[in-house]
Amino acid sequence: MATERTLSIIKPDAVAKNAIGDIYRRFENAGLKIVAAKMLHLSREKAEGFYAEHKERPFFGDLVGFMISGPVMVQVLEGENAIAKNRELMGATNPKEAEAGTIRADFAESIDANAVHGSDSSDSAKREVAYFFDDDEICPRG
Ligand code: RTP
Ligand code: MG
């Protein structure tokens, strides 16, 4: 299995709960390395562009409104099988369906305020990492 990179976002609800450190510890305990990170308060345009694949969905307005409701923490995670590993740590989109011990089971309130984002494929990971980070903002750690 090759080393992969994936884009992770700690959403406004989890930042507001002061859960950044707890979530980072989960990434690191699972062997994922944080190779880039920044805190941002997204503009509406930036959030709409990020979730453009969902723009025809009925929940799009609420999703964008939630993502701009407070600061987010955005990071690139690197490691073996990083994309799937991060999705496993996150748990199901709807926290009511998320397995016990996952980030969403432990921190998410609802399907709208669900604590974290993670890229869902190799193609989306490449697009999403480049959406937030220039190459020279990423620090490979071997
Ligand atoms: P994310 O992109 O944020 O990591 O979440 P995901 O892959 O698990 O879920 P996705 O299908 O990409 O949906 C993006 C976000 O939209 C909200 N959503 N609401 N009401 C609904 O049926 C519904 N479906 C999705 C969620 O907040 C989800 O994280
Ligand atoms: Mg998604």
Side-chain angles (χ1 to χ4, degrees):
M1 186 65 68
T3 299
E4 290 177 339
R5 286 180 183 166
T6 191
L7 194 278
S8 159
I9 302 177
I10 301 178
K11 296 185 180 184
D13 57 327
V15 172
K17 283 182 181 160
N18 236 7
I20 294 170
D22 190 310
I23 294 171
Y24 270 25
R25 184 166 307 118
R26 291 170 188 232
F27 295 151
E28 295 191 329
N29 285 348
L32 296 172
K33 292 179 178 170
I34 297 157
V35 296
K38 56 176 81 161
M39 184 173 271
L40 296 169
H41 196 140
L42 298 178
S43 66
R44 183 171 293 279
E45 294 67 32
K46 189 84 175 172
E48 285 176 350
F50 182 71
Y51 277 122
E53 65 179 307
H54 294 310
K55 70 173 182 296
E56 306 303 333
R57 310 282 287 278
F59 57 80
F60 183 68
D62 287 346
L63 173 60
V64 169
F66 169 64
M67 290 300 288
I68 67 175
S69 66
V72 297
M73 194 74 201
V74 187
Q75 45 282 325
V76 179
L77 307 177
E78 188 176 84
E80 294 289 303
N81 210 13
I83 298 166
K85 201 178 268 183
N86 181 43
R87 297 284 297 190
E88 260 174 52
L89 294 173
M90 290 163 57
T93 307
N94 184 347
K96 293 190 179 70
E97 293 164 10
E99 244 180 82
T102 60
I103 295 168
R104 282 168 165 164
D106 290 345
F107 294 108
E109 301 299 330
S110 67
I111 194 167
D112 299 308
N114 63 0
V116 279
H117 162 82
S119 307
D120 62 7
S121 68
S122 177
D123 284 351
S124 69
K126 285 193 180 70
R127 181 186 83 82
E128 292 175 0
V129 168
Y131 193 77
F132 283 107
F133 294 95
D134 295 331
D135 282 346
D136 66 1
E137 293 180 300
I138 301 174
C139 303
R141 292 165 50 205

